[in-house]
mmCIF file of all heavy atoms in Angstrom:
data_model
loop_
_atom_site.group_PDB
_atom_site.id
_atom_site.type_symbol
_atom_site.label_atom_id
_atom_site.label_comp_id
_atom_site.label_asym_id
_atom_site.label_seq_id
_atom_site.Cartn_x
_atom_site.Cartn_y
_atom_site.Cartn_z
ATOM 1 N N GLY F 1 158.915 60.830 81.666
ATOM 2 C CA GLY F 1 159.659 61.366 80.535
ATOM 3 C C GLY F 1 160.990 60.650 80.393
ATOM 4 O O GLY F 1 161.572 60.176 81.376
ATOM 5 N N ILE F 2 161.470 60.534 79.155
ATOM 6 C CA ILE F 2 162.734 59.845 78.886
ATOM 7 C C ILE F 2 163.651 60.804 78.136
ATOM 8 O O ILE F 2 163.360 61.215 77.011
ATOM 9 C CB ILE F 2 162.519 58.578 78.043
ATOM 10 C CG1 ILE F 2 161.454 57.681 78.676
ATOM 11 C CG2 ILE F 2 163.835 57.821 77.874
ATOM 12 C CD1 ILE F 2 161.057 56.497 77.809
ATOM 13 N N LYS F 3 164.755 61.191 78.773
ATOM 14 C CA LYS F 3 165.704 62.095 78.133
ATOM 15 C C LYS F 3 166.575 61.337 77.129
ATOM 16 O O LYS F 3 166.599 60.108 77.110
ATOM 17 C CB LYS F 3 166.585 62.765 79.191
ATOM 18 C CG LYS F 3 165.811 63.663 80.141
ATOM 19 C CD LYS F 3 166.754 64.423 81.075
ATOM 20 C CE LYS F 3 165.945 65.342 81.984
ATOM 21 N NZ LYS F 3 166.829 66.166 82.858
ATOM 22 N N MET F 4 167.281 62.088 76.323
ATOM 23 C CA MET F 4 168.118 61.473 75.302
ATOM 24 C C MET F 4 169.176 60.560 75.922
ATOM 25 O O MET F 4 169.528 59.525 75.348
ATOM 26 C CB MET F 4 168.807 62.554 74.458
ATOM 27 C CG MET F 4 169.592 62.005 73.265
ATOM 28 S SD MET F 4 170.315 63.288 72.222
ATOM 29 C CE MET F 4 171.558 63.944 73.334
ATOM 30 N N ASN F 5 169.660 60.916 77.118
ATOM 31 C CA ASN F 5 170.672 60.090 77.785
ATOM 32 C C ASN F 5 170.085 58.906 78.548
ATOM 33 O O ASN F 5 170.797 58.190 79.244
ATOM 34 C CB ASN F 5 171.514 60.949 78.729
ATOM 35 C CG ASN F 5 170.697 61.572 79.861
ATOM 36 O OD1 ASN F 5 169.510 61.274 80.005
ATOM 37 N ND2 ASN F 5 171.323 62.432 80.648
ATOM 38 N N GLY F 6 168.754 58.706 78.438
ATOM 39 C CA GLY F 6 168.107 57.586 79.095
ATOM 40 C C GLY F 6 167.571 57.891 80.486
ATOM 41 O O GLY F 6 166.870 57.064 81.080
ATOM 42 N N GLU F 7 167.900 59.054 81.012
ATOM 43 C CA GLU F 7 167.403 59.423 82.351
ATOM 44 C C GLU F 7 165.891 59.575 82.320
ATOM 45 O O GLU F 7 165.321 60.154 81.407
ATOM 46 C CB GLU F 7 168.046 60.738 82.795
ATOM 47 C CG GLU F 7 167.573 61.217 84.151
ATOM 48 C CD GLU F 7 168.149 62.574 84.516
ATOM 49 O OE1 GLU F 7 169.131 62.994 83.853
ATOM 50 O OE2 GLU F 7 167.610 63.221 85.435
ATOM 51 N N ARG F 8 165.234 59.051 83.347
ATOM 52 C CA ARG F 8 163.773 59.131 83.451
ATOM 53 C C ARG F 8 163.366 60.106 84.550
ATOM 54 O O ARG F 8 164.045 60.220 85.563
ATOM 55 C CB ARG F 8 163.175 57.743 83.724
ATOM 56 C CG ARG F 8 163.122 56.851 82.486
ATOM 57 C CD ARG F 8 162.795 55.416 82.816
ATOM 58 N NE ARG F 8 162.339 54.669 81.661
ATOM 59 C CZ ARG F 8 163.116 54.263 80.663
ATOM 60 N NH1 ARG F 8 164.418 54.548 80.701
ATOM 61 N NH2 ARG F 8 162.614 53.600 79.634
ATOM 62 N N PHE F 9 162.254 60.782 84.322
ATOM 63 C CA PHE F 9 161.761 61.754 85.294
ATOM 64 C C PHE F 9 160.246 61.829 85.175
ATOM 65 O O PHE F 9 159.676 61.532 84.125
ATOM 66 C CB PHE F 9 162.385 63.134 85.057
ATOM 67 C CG PHE F 9 162.068 63.722 83.700
ATOM 68 C CD1 PHE F 9 161.062 64.668 83.552
ATOM 69 C CD2 PHE F 9 162.770 63.329 82.563
ATOM 70 C CE1 PHE F 9 160.757 65.209 82.312
ATOM 71 C CE2 PHE F 9 162.479 63.867 81.313
ATOM 72 C CZ PHE F 9 161.467 64.812 81.181
ATOM 73 N N GLN F 10 159.588 62.213 86.281
ATOM 74 C CA GLN F 10 158.138 62.326 86.289
ATOM 75 C C GLN F 10 157.714 63.656 85.660
ATOM 76 O O GLN F 10 158.328 64.683 85.901
ATOM 77 C CB GLN F 10 157.600 62.229 87.716
ATOM 78 C CG GLN F 10 157.859 60.878 88.369
ATOM 79 C CD GLN F 10 157.274 59.736 87.553
ATOM 80 O OE1 GLN F 10 156.075 59.724 87.266
ATOM 81 N NE2 GLN F 10 158.107 58.780 87.186
ATOM 82 N N VAL F 11 156.660 63.597 84.872
ATOM 83 C CA VAL F 11 156.208 64.794 84.175
ATOM 84 C C VAL F 11 154.683 64.844 84.153
ATOM 85 O O VAL F 11 154.026 63.810 84.071
ATOM 86 C CB VAL F 11 156.776 64.824 82.729
ATOM 87 C CG1 VAL F 11 156.233 63.658 81.912
ATOM 88 C CG2 VAL F 11 156.439 66.128 82.027
ATOM 89 N N LYS F 12 154.126 66.041 84.284
ATOM 90 C CA LYS F 12 152.686 66.250 84.149
ATOM 91 C C LYS F 12 152.426 66.813 82.756
ATOM 92 O O LYS F 12 153.109 67.726 82.309
ATOM 93 C CB LYS F 12 152.166 67.229 85.202
ATOM 94 C CG LYS F 12 150.666 67.482 85.099
ATOM 95 C CD LYS F 12 150.184 68.432 86.181
ATOM 96 C CE LYS F 12 150.622 69.848 85.913
ATOM 97 N NZ LYS F 12 150.046 70.810 86.895
ATOM 98 N N ILE F 13 151.440 66.233 82.060
ATOM 99 C CA ILE F 13 151.152 66.641 80.685
ATOM 100 C C ILE F 13 149.697 67.086 80.583
ATOM 101 O O ILE F 13 148.789 66.379 80.997
ATOM 102 C CB ILE F 13 151.395 65.483 79.690
ATOM 103 C CG1 ILE F 13 152.780 64.870 79.908
ATOM 104 C CG2 ILE F 13 151.249 65.959 78.253
ATOM 105 C CD1 ILE F 13 153.024 63.612 79.130
ATOM 106 N N VAL F 14 149.508 68.278 80.020
ATOM 107 C CA VAL F 14 148.166 68.784 79.747
ATOM 108 C C VAL F 14 148.021 68.903 78.233
ATOM 109 O O VAL F 14 148.830 69.556 77.579
ATOM 110 C CB VAL F 14 147.926 70.153 80.404
ATOM 111 C CG1 VAL F 14 146.531 70.675 80.065
ATOM 112 C CG2 VAL F 14 148.093 70.055 81.914
ATOM 113 N N SER F 15 147.017 68.242 77.692
ATOM 114 C CA SER F 15 146.803 68.211 76.248
ATOM 115 C C SER F 15 145.474 68.878 75.898
ATOM 116 O O SER F 15 144.461 68.668 76.574
ATOM 117 C CB SER F 15 146.801 66.763 75.745
ATOM 118 O OG SER F 15 146.447 66.708 74.378
ATOM 119 N N SER F 16 145.475 69.692 74.846
ATOM 120 C CA SER F 16 144.244 70.321 74.366
ATOM 121 C C SER F 16 144.169 70.180 72.855
ATOM 122 O O SER F 16 145.195 70.146 72.167
ATOM 123 C CB SER F 16 144.179 71.801 74.765
ATOM 124 O OG SER F 16 145.301 72.499 74.257
ATOM 125 N N ALA F 17 142.952 70.047 72.343
ATOM 126 C CA ALA F 17 142.739 69.847 70.904
ATOM 127 C C ALA F 17 142.637 71.184 70.188
ATOM 128 O O ALA F 17 142.125 72.164 70.723
ATOM 129 C CB ALA F 17 141.471 69.036 70.677
ATOM 130 N N SER F 18 143.157 71.230 68.975
ATOM 131 C CA SER F 18 143.035 72.422 68.126
ATOM 132 C C SER F 18 142.991 71.960 66.672
ATOM 133 O O SER F 18 143.184 70.784 66.362
ATOM 134 C CB SER F 18 144.198 73.383 68.366
ATOM 135 O OG SER F 18 145.434 72.770 68.023
ATOM 136 N N ARG F 19 142.745 72.908 65.778
ATOM 137 C CA ARG F 19 142.663 72.569 64.362
ATOM 138 C C ARG F 19 143.523 73.550 63.562
ATOM 139 O O ARG F 19 143.442 74.774 63.750
ATOM 140 C CB ARG F 19 141.210 72.642 63.886
ATOM 141 C CG ARG F 19 140.992 72.086 62.469
ATOM 142 C CD ARG F 19 139.520 72.168 62.080
ATOM 143 N NE ARG F 19 138.692 71.371 62.966
ATOM 144 C CZ ARG F 19 138.479 70.054 62.790
ATOM 145 N NH1 ARG F 19 139.059 69.412 61.784
ATOM 146 N NH2 ARG F 19 137.701 69.406 63.630
ATOM 147 N N ALA F 20 144.366 73.004 62.680
ATOM 148 C CA ALA F 20 145.221 73.832 61.832
ATOM 149 C C ALA F 20 144.397 74.488 60.731
ATOM 150 O O ALA F 20 143.247 74.113 60.474
ATOM 151 C CB ALA F 20 146.341 72.980 61.238
ATOM 152 N N GLN F 21 144.994 75.486 60.067
ATOM 153 C CA GLN F 21 144.286 76.198 59.003
ATOM 154 C C GLN F 21 143.916 75.281 57.849
ATOM 155 O O GLN F 21 142.924 75.526 57.137
ATOM 156 C CB GLN F 21 145.143 77.359 58.493
ATOM 157 C CG GLN F 21 145.324 78.469 59.528
ATOM 158 C CD GLN F 21 146.141 79.623 58.974
ATOM 159 O OE1 GLN F 21 146.743 79.524 57.902
ATOM 160 N NE2 GLN F 21 146.161 80.730 59.706
ATOM 161 N N ASP F 22 144.703 74.227 57.647
ATOM 162 C CA ASP F 22 144.396 73.302 56.550
ATOM 163 C C ASP F 22 143.386 72.230 56.969
ATOM 164 O O ASP F 22 143.106 71.303 56.214
ATOM 165 C CB ASP F 22 145.675 72.648 56.029
ATOM 166 C CG ASP F 22 146.409 71.857 57.110
ATOM 167 O OD1 ASP F 22 145.864 71.727 58.226
ATOM 168 O OD2 ASP F 22 147.528 71.375 56.845
ATOM 169 N N GLY F 23 142.837 72.349 58.185
ATOM 170 C CA GLY F 23 141.816 71.404 58.629
ATOM 171 C C GLY F 23 142.331 70.244 59.438
ATOM 172 O O GLY F 23 141.545 69.462 59.975
ATOM 173 N N ARG F 24 143.639 70.127 59.552
ATOM 174 C CA ARG F 24 144.194 69.008 60.318
ATOM 175 C C ARG F 24 143.917 69.189 61.803
ATOM 176 O O ARG F 24 143.998 70.292 62.329
ATOM 177 C CB ARG F 24 145.702 68.894 60.099
ATOM 178 C CG ARG F 24 146.120 68.402 58.724
ATOM 179 C CD ARG F 24 147.642 68.349 58.628
ATOM 180 N NE ARG F 24 148.209 69.678 58.857
ATOM 181 C CZ ARG F 24 149.364 69.888 59.496
ATOM 182 N NH1 ARG F 24 150.031 68.868 60.002
ATOM 183 N NH2 ARG F 24 149.831 71.120 59.652
ATOM 184 N N GLU F 25 143.589 68.070 62.487
ATOM 185 C CA GLU F 25 143.392 68.115 63.930
ATOM 186 C C GLU F 25 144.733 67.955 64.634
ATOM 187 O O GLU F 25 145.511 67.064 64.312
ATOM 188 C CB GLU F 25 142.439 67.001 64.374
ATOM 189 C CG GLU F 25 141.012 67.198 63.878
ATOM 190 C CD GLU F 25 140.064 66.161 64.441
ATOM 191 O OE1 GLU F 25 140.562 65.239 65.108
ATOM 192 O OE2 GLU F 25 138.852 66.278 64.211
ATOM 193 N N LEU F 26 144.985 68.843 65.583
ATOM 194 C CA LEU F 26 146.249 68.845 66.289
ATOM 195 C C LEU F 26 146.025 68.675 67.791
ATOM 196 O O LEU F 26 144.969 69.018 68.306
ATOM 197 C CB LEU F 26 146.998 70.165 66.043
ATOM 198 C CG LEU F 26 147.268 70.551 64.583
ATOM 199 C CD1 LEU F 26 147.896 71.935 64.533
ATOM 200 C CD2 LEU F 26 148.184 69.526 63.921
ATOM 201 N N ALA F 27 147.029 68.151 68.459
ATOM 202 C CA ALA F 27 147.009 68.059 69.919
ATOM 203 C C ALA F 27 148.177 68.869 70.446
ATOM 204 O O ALA F 27 149.326 68.639 70.067
ATOM 205 C CB ALA F 27 147.120 66.606 70.377
ATOM 206 N N CYS F 28 147.888 69.841 71.282
ATOM 207 C CA CYS F 28 148.921 70.687 71.872
ATOM 208 C C CYS F 28 149.245 70.151 73.271
ATOM 209 O O CYS F 28 148.365 70.081 74.135
ATOM 210 C CB CYS F 28 148.429 72.131 71.933
ATOM 211 S SG CYS F 28 149.599 73.254 72.738
ATOM 212 N N LEU F 29 150.500 69.752 73.484
ATOM 213 C CA LEU F 29 150.918 69.172 74.769
ATOM 214 C C LEU F 29 151.778 70.173 75.534
ATOM 215 O O LEU F 29 152.759 70.694 75.008
ATOM 216 C CB LEU F 29 151.717 67.887 74.552
ATOM 217 C CG LEU F 29 151.072 66.784 73.705
ATOM 218 C CD1 LEU F 29 151.977 65.560 73.664
ATOM 219 C CD2 LEU F 29 149.705 66.421 74.244
ATOM 220 N N MET F 30 151.407 70.420 76.779
ATOM 221 C CA MET F 30 152.207 71.276 77.666
ATOM 222 C C MET F 30 152.744 70.395 78.780
ATOM 223 O O MET F 30 151.982 69.755 79.504
ATOM 224 C CB MET F 30 151.348 72.414 78.225
ATOM 225 C CG MET F 30 150.915 73.410 77.157
ATOM 226 S SD MET F 30 149.807 74.687 77.792
ATOM 227 C CE MET F 30 148.308 73.720 77.991
ATOM 228 N N LEU F 31 154.054 70.343 78.893
ATOM 229 C CA LEU F 31 154.706 69.449 79.843
ATOM 230 C C LEU F 31 155.386 70.238 80.955
ATOM 231 O O LEU F 31 155.984 71.288 80.699
ATOM 232 C CB LEU F 31 155.745 68.567 79.145
ATOM 233 C CG LEU F 31 155.246 67.620 78.045
ATOM 234 C CD1 LEU F 31 155.178 68.323 76.708
ATOM 235 C CD2 LEU F 31 156.150 66.407 77.948
ATOM 236 N N SER F 32 155.291 69.727 82.171
ATOM 237 C CA SER F 32 156.001 70.344 83.288
ATOM 238 C C SER F 32 156.536 69.241 84.189
ATOM 239 O O SER F 32 155.792 68.339 84.582
ATOM 240 C CB SER F 32 155.079 71.280 84.076
ATOM 241 O OG SER F 32 153.925 70.603 84.517
ATOM 242 N N PRO F 33 157.831 69.273 84.508
ATOM 243 C CA PRO F 33 158.414 68.247 85.378
ATOM 244 C C PRO F 33 157.779 68.288 86.762
ATOM 245 O O PRO F 33 157.444 69.349 87.284
ATOM 246 C CB PRO F 33 159.897 68.625 85.430
ATOM 247 C CG PRO F 33 160.119 69.530 84.260
ATOM 248 C CD PRO F 33 158.828 70.251 84.049
ATOM 249 N N VAL F 34 157.618 67.112 87.365
ATOM 250 C CA VAL F 34 157.091 67.017 88.723
ATOM 251 C C VAL F 34 158.281 66.904 89.670
ATOM 252 O O VAL F 34 159.100 65.987 89.523
ATOM 253 C CB VAL F 34 156.180 65.785 88.879
ATOM 254 C CG1 VAL F 34 155.701 65.659 90.314
ATOM 255 C CG2 VAL F 34 155.000 65.885 87.922
ATOM 256 N N PRO F 35 158.411 67.825 90.649
ATOM 257 C CA PRO F 35 159.550 67.742 91.579
ATOM 258 C C PRO F 35 159.577 66.391 92.283
ATOM 259 O O PRO F 35 158.543 65.896 92.713
ATOM 260 C CB PRO F 35 159.273 68.874 92.580
ATOM 261 C CG PRO F 35 158.371 69.816 91.844
ATOM 262 C CD PRO F 35 157.522 68.939 90.955
ATOM 263 N N ASP F 36 160.760 65.785 92.377
ATOM 264 C CA ASP F 36 160.839 64.482 93.031
ATOM 265 C C ASP F 36 160.767 64.632 94.549
ATOM 266 O O ASP F 36 160.922 65.721 95.103
ATOM 267 C CB ASP F 36 162.101 63.706 92.617
ATOM 268 C CG ASP F 36 163.397 64.421 92.970
ATOM 269 O OD1 ASP F 36 163.401 65.170 93.964
ATOM 270 O OD2 ASP F 36 164.392 64.221 92.269
ATOM 271 N N ARG F 37 160.498 63.534 95.207
ATOM 272 C CA ARG F 37 160.286 63.562 96.661
ATOM 273 C C ARG F 37 161.517 64.062 97.392
ATOM 274 O O ARG F 37 161.423 64.802 98.376
ATOM 275 C CB ARG F 37 159.913 62.160 97.151
ATOM 276 C CG ARG F 37 159.597 62.137 98.645
ATOM 277 C CD ARG F 37 159.219 60.745 99.119
ATOM 278 N NE ARG F 37 158.877 60.773 100.512
ATOM 279 C CZ ARG F 37 157.670 61.062 100.966
ATOM 280 N NH1 ARG F 37 156.712 61.332 100.116
ATOM 281 N NH2 ARG F 37 157.424 61.084 102.269
ATOM 282 N N GLN F 38 162.698 63.680 96.889
ATOM 283 C CA GLN F 38 163.921 64.071 97.575
ATOM 284 C C GLN F 38 164.081 65.579 97.580
ATOM 285 O O GLN F 38 164.463 66.165 98.599
ATOM 286 C CB GLN F 38 165.131 63.403 96.914
ATOM 287 C CG GLN F 38 166.454 63.710 97.628
ATOM 288 C CD GLN F 38 167.621 62.982 97.000
ATOM 289 O OE1 GLN F 38 167.480 62.297 96.006
ATOM 290 N NE2 GLN F 38 168.789 63.147 97.592
ATOM 291 N N SER F 39 163.786 66.239 96.452
ATOM 292 C CA SER F 39 163.926 67.689 96.396
ATOM 293 C C SER F 39 162.918 68.371 97.300
ATOM 294 O O SER F 39 163.213 69.401 97.914
ATOM 295 C CB SER F 39 163.758 68.178 94.949
ATOM 296 O OG SER F 39 162.439 67.987 94.492
ATOM 297 N N GLN F 40 161.715 67.812 97.398
ATOM 298 C CA GLN F 40 160.727 68.406 98.276
ATOM 299 C C GLN F 40 161.107 68.230 99.738
ATOM 300 O O GLN F 40 160.922 69.139 100.554
ATOM 301 C CB GLN F 40 159.348 67.784 98.005
ATOM 302 C CG GLN F 40 158.815 68.119 96.632
ATOM 303 C CD GLN F 40 157.312 67.947 96.569
ATOM 304 O OE1 GLN F 40 156.590 68.433 97.420
ATOM 305 N NE2 GLN F 40 156.844 67.260 95.552
ATOM 306 N N GLU F 41 161.652 67.070 100.096
ATOM 307 C CA GLU F 41 162.093 66.872 101.466
ATOM 308 C C GLU F 41 163.249 67.806 101.784
ATOM 309 O O GLU F 41 163.343 68.349 102.888
ATOM 310 C CB GLU F 41 162.492 65.416 101.686
ATOM 311 C CG GLU F 41 161.320 64.458 101.706
ATOM 312 C CD GLU F 41 161.641 63.182 102.459
ATOM 313 O OE1 GLU F 41 162.694 63.137 103.144
ATOM 314 O OE2 GLU F 41 160.843 62.239 102.375
ATOM 315 N N GLN F 42 164.152 68.022 100.812
ATOM 316 C CA GLN F 42 165.267 68.929 101.038
ATOM 317 C C GLN F 42 164.755 70.345 101.231
ATOM 318 O O GLN F 42 165.266 71.098 102.073
ATOM 319 C CB GLN F 42 166.243 68.880 99.853
ATOM 320 C CG GLN F 42 167.509 69.696 100.080
ATOM 321 C CD GLN F 42 168.293 69.199 101.289
ATOM 322 O OE1 GLN F 42 168.561 68.014 101.428
ATOM 323 N NE2 GLN F 42 168.657 70.123 102.177
ATOM 324 N N LYS F 43 163.741 70.703 100.461
ATOM 325 C CA LYS F 43 163.125 72.018 100.615
ATOM 326 C C LYS F 43 162.580 72.193 102.025
ATOM 327 O O LYS F 43 162.745 73.244 102.653
ATOM 328 C CB LYS F 43 162.000 72.180 99.577
ATOM 329 C CG LYS F 43 161.233 73.486 99.679
ATOM 330 C CD LYS F 43 160.143 73.525 98.631
ATOM 331 C CE LYS F 43 159.314 74.802 98.738
ATOM 332 N NZ LYS F 43 158.227 74.839 97.713
ATOM 333 N N LEU F 44 161.940 71.149 102.532
ATOM 334 C CA LEU F 44 161.373 71.209 103.875
ATOM 335 C C LEU F 44 162.481 71.281 104.924
ATOM 336 O O LEU F 44 162.403 72.072 105.878
ATOM 337 C CB LEU F 44 160.496 69.991 104.119
ATOM 338 C CG LEU F 44 159.859 69.885 105.501
ATOM 339 C CD1 LEU F 44 158.962 71.082 105.779
ATOM 340 C CD2 LEU F 44 159.074 68.599 105.626
ATOM 341 N N LYS F 45 163.525 70.473 104.781
ATOM 342 C CA LYS F 45 164.614 70.474 105.742
ATOM 343 C C LYS F 45 165.315 71.836 105.775
ATOM 344 O O LYS F 45 165.675 72.336 106.841
ATOM 345 C CB LYS F 45 165.608 69.361 105.392
ATOM 346 C CG LYS F 45 165.054 67.965 105.637
ATOM 347 C CD LYS F 45 165.924 66.893 105.011
ATOM 348 C CE LYS F 45 167.262 66.760 105.686
ATOM 349 N NZ LYS F 45 168.049 65.648 105.092
#
């Protein structure tokens, strides 16, 4: 992921297909940040 300030971060994206009432095909994206290794190591410590 790329934030407005240029910072980059890892993200998991789950996409599912749907259809709008007017017939348009849509893709619904659900995003969740992936904890970085440093935060996980800190959690363990």
Side-chain angles (χ1 to χ4, degrees):
I2 308 173
K3 296 186 178 183
M4 186 177 68
N5 63 6
E7 179 184 345
R8 283 169 162 73
F9 61 99
Q10 296 303 304
V11 64
K12 180 179 73 174
I13 309 171
V14 178
S15 173
S16 58
S18 62
R19 189 179 298 275
Q21 292 182 349
D22 60 6
R24 289 179 301 144
E25 292 186 354
L26 304 175
C28 177
L29 306 183
M30 293 176 287
L31 299 86
S32 56
V34 177
D36 61 30
R37 183 180 182 86
Q38 183 177 3
S39 67
Q40 294 201 49
E41 289 203 11
Q42 186 60 50
K43 177 181 178 181
L44 178 60
K45 290 168 68 177

